[in-house]
C-alpha cells in the first residue's frame, strides 16, 4: 500500500468519524432540548435552542476532531506514513 492510498483512506476515515460524531451531538442536543421543553414547547424558544445546539455541536466536534488528530499524529507518527500535501515555499 503506497503513501497516497494510505492518506486517502485516512482522510476518508477521519471524515466519516467527524460526520458521525457531529450527528451524535446533534441528536443528543435535540433529545435534551425536547426533554427540557416538555410536552408543549414554545416553538420560537425551541428553534433558538436547536440552532444554538447545532452551532455548539459543530464547535465541540471541531475541538474533539482536532484533539483526536493531534493524538493520532503523536502516537503513530503519521508524517512518515503520508506524503506531504502542501510543499513549503522556498
Amino acid at each position: 500500500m503506497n503513501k497516497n492510498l494510505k492518506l486517502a483512506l485516512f482522510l476518508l476515515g477521519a471524515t466519516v468519524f467527524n460526520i458521525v460524531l457531529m450527528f451524535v451531538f446533534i441528536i443528543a442536543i435535540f433529545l435534551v432540548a425536547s426533554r427540557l421543553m416538555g410536552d408543549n414547547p414554545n416553538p420560537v424558544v425551541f428553534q433558538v435552542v436547536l440552532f444554538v445546539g447545532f452551532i455548539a455541536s459543530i464547535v465541540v466536534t471541531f475541538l474533539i476532531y482536532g484533539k483526536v488528530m493531534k493524538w493520532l499524529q503523536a502516537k503513530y507518527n503519521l508524517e512518515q506514513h503520508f506524503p506531504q500535501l502542501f510543499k513549503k515555499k522556498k
Side-chain angles (χ1 to χ4, degrees):
M1 193 181 314
N2 63 9
K3 287 185 175 188
N4 291 331
L5 182 59
K6 285 181 185 179
L7 178 64
L9 291 175
F10 177 78
L11 290 177
L12 182 66
T15 302
V16 169
F17 168 73
N18 194 15
I19 291 171
V20 167
L21 191 63
M22 187 180 303
F23 279 131
V24 167
F25 279 115
I26 289 171
I27 290 170
I29 288 173
F30 179 77
L31 291 175
V32 169
S34 64
R35 290 273 185 183
L36 290 177
M37 293 296 174
D39 293 335
N40 228 352
N42 184 353
V44 174
V45 174
F46 190 67
Q47 288 175 355
V48 168
V49 169
L50 288 181
F51 179 73
V52 170
F54 179 74
I55 300 299
S57 70
I58 291 173
V59 170
V60 169
T61 301
F62 179 75
L63 294 173
I64 291 173
Y65 180 80
K67 294 285 185 186
V68 169
M69 290 303 122
K70 284 182 184 178
W71 176 75
L72 285 174
Q73 187 174 12
K75 181 171 178 147
Y76 296 110
N77 196 12
L78 296 179
E79 292 175 357
Q80 73 180 5
H81 297 289
F82 299 144
Q84 188 175 8
L85 288 178
F86 304 104
K87 306 279 186 206
K88 294 183 179 179
K89 293 182 181 179
K90 293 181 180 180

